[in-house]
Amino acid sequence: MRRIIWLMLLSLFMVGILSGCSDQAYVIEELNGNQLSLGPDDQNPEEQYALTEVTLDGETTIDGRTNQLSVLQKGDIIRFAYRNGKKPLVATIERVK
């Protein structure tokens, strides 16, 4: 019985961690101050896509550094994680090489 409980707790813990992270890559479509408009990385030119709007702040880390908003450019491909489920506030951004 204890084994089942531990397994369930571990499963809940993993779901909690993974729900804040994005495995999908996005391309930056627009930069407006601290707001990013993101589209899917893999796009078909003949289709339309809804953009994902995210907000950056002074605590957002980009490639492991804070306050580096100027390093992001339109067309960059990124992955990001929300800050403790507080959508659209972003905690981390990793540029995909």
Side-chain angles (χ1 to χ4, degrees):
M1 186 67 176
R2 285 186 182 179
R3 190 177 194 172
I4 293 173
I5 292 173
W6 278 107
L7 246 154
M8 288 175 58
L9 288 174
L10 180 62
S11 297
L12 286 173
F13 178 73
M14 293 301 290
V15 166
I17 288 175
L18 295 176
S19 66
C21 298
S22 172
D23 247 357
Q24 183 177 356
Y26 294 88
V27 64
I28 298 175
E29 299 288 344
E30 288 184 37
L31 288 152
N32 290 324
N34 66 339
Q35 301 282 327
L36 297 180
S37 297
L38 308 172
D41 173 38
D42 189 21
Q43 296 183 7
N44 181 345
E46 296 178 9
E47 293 183 26
Q48 293 182 347
Y49 299 93
L51 297 180
T52 301
E53 302 287 330
V54 295
T55 304
L56 312 180
D57 66 2
E59 295 178 20
T60 300
T61 60
I62 301 170
D63 292 333
R65 299 181 184 151
T66 55
N67 270 341
Q68 295 293 318
L69 183 59
S70 61
V71 301
L72 294 176
Q73 299 176 6
K74 183 177 177 179
D76 282 350
I77 299 172
I78 64 171
R79 287 190 176 92
F80 69 92
Y82 288 111
R83 177 159 302 130
N84 296 329
K86 295 180 180 176
K87 294 181 182 180
L89 195 57
V90 172
T92 60
I93 291 178
E94 168 194 348
R95 284 193 287 179
V96 178
K97 308 274 177 192

